[in-house]
Amino acid sequence: DAGITQSPRHKVTETGTPVTLRCHQTENHRYMYWYRQDPGHGLRLIHYSYGVKDTDKGEVSDGYSVSRSKTEDFLLTLESATSSQTSVYFCAISRGAGNTIYFGEGSWLTVV
Amino acid sequence: GNSVTQMEGPVTLSEEAFLTINCTYTATGYPSLFWYVQYPGEGLQLLLKATKADDKGSNKGFEATYRKETTSFHLEKGSVQVSDSAVYFCALSTSNAGGTSYGKLTFGQGTILTVHP
């Protein structure tokens, strides 16, 4: 168990509503990531963080924002959810570049 | 940009059969290569990795060799078990011009493996 907790694990929300997913780690790892998993696409990077208040965009960042005010927490926000954001979202952590990346158990989000 | 292509699935095998899942990549520079496995309802777990050409990663009977000349990292196992049924992802990570990658991974689309008794 890599010490990663994602919440909520399952959520159904309506189009146009804001949604925040939380990733909490107990490992004190520097790097944190948000990926989404969709059939036929594998996992795609949404945003990542390389330290407190240090974040950057991944390949599919449109419609998402993130914040990292503490080492242990990395929040992913959908400002106005759309059906195309229905997906499984995975948080991941790493001690540093070149180190193993550990994944959380995922958050299933359905936008209706 | 970076990309990873895996063989189309799903793959269905009988127990004790030989497994190959093909993976090829396109990358700038010299990537590190990974295989991750995802069991039903769970997150991804690192299965094995290789960080330079000709390296062989191995774990739990699975092997993959980093082939720079063919830009490939095929996953193999000599005798699969029912418990190997899962989704397998090939992935790569590269460094940017400053020598840091932040560990960002580029994944293939995943291959579903089902092993029957």
Side-chain angles (χ1 to χ4, degrees):
Chain A
D1 190 353
I4 306 170
T5 304
Q6 292 187 226
S7 58
R9 294 291 314 281
H10 299 271
K11 185 175 182 64
V12 179
T13 192
E14 294 186 348
T15 298
T17 60
V19 177
T20 296
L21 305 180
R22 179 182 184 234
C23 178
H24 178 78
Q25 60 146 329
T26 58
E27 306 297 321
N28 200 37
H29 283 357
R30 180 181 176 190
Y31 294 167
M32 299 185 75
Y33 316 84
W34 277 107
Y35 287 86
R36 60 178 289 175
Q37 182 179 15
D38 304 290
H41 291 280
L43 278 78
R44 293 178 290 174
L45 182 64
I46 304 171
H47 281 278
Y48 64 101
S49 170
Y50 44 96
V52 174
K53 292 186 168 55
D54 291 323
T55 66
D56 205 349
K57 297 177 180 180
E59 64 176 305
V60 290
S61 60
D62 287 349
Y64 302 95
S65 62
V66 291
S67 66
R68 191 169 178 201
S69 58
K70 299 184 290 185
T71 298
E72 58 266 35
D73 289 328
F74 193 33
L75 304 180
L76 177 71
T77 298
L78 291 65
E79 300 291 348
S80 178
T82 68
S83 58
S84 65
Q85 293 175 311
T86 292
S87 187
V88 184
Y89 292 85
F90 286 96
C91 175
I93 64 173
S94 173
R95 188 181 304 280
N99 291 99
T100 298
I101 295 177
Y102 298 94
F103 284 81
E105 295 186 333
S107 293
W108 276 253
L109 177 67
T110 301
V111 183
V112 298
Chain B
N2 298 336
S3 67
V4 176
T5 302
Q6 290 181 232
M7 66 184 290
E8 293 284 336
V11 175
T12 303
L13 296 173
S14 297
E15 205 164 27
E16 299 184 2
F18 184 85
L19 169 70
T20 299
I21 301 178
N22 290 338
C23 172
T24 58
Y25 67 88
T26 302
T28 54
Y30 301 98
S32 295
L33 302 174
F34 308 84
W35 278 100
Y36 279 83
V37 59
Q38 182 181 33
Y39 298 102
E42 299 183 9
L44 278 72
Q45 303 173 24
L46 179 65
L47 181 59
L48 53 85
K49 70 177 183 181
T51 58
K52 61 182 187 296
D54 299 325
D55 268 2
K56 177 184 285 187
S58 62
N59 185 26
K60 299 181 181 180
F62 291 90
E63 294 183 339
T65 301
Y66 188 140
R67 301 289 188 198
K68 181 181 175 184
E69 62 275 15
T70 55
T71 62
S72 65
F73 192 54
H74 304 321
L75 182 68
E76 297 181 336
K77 187 175 185 182
S79 177
V80 294
Q81 305 300 311
V82 172
S83 57
D84 293 326
S85 298
V87 184
Y88 292 82
F89 293 94
C90 185
L92 68 81
S93 176
T94 59
S95 296
N96 63 14
T100 58
S101 70
Y102 302 112
K104 294 179 291 180
L105 292 168
T106 299
F107 285 89
Q109 70 270 36
T111 301
I112 299 171
L113 170 66
T114 302
V115 180
H116 293 296

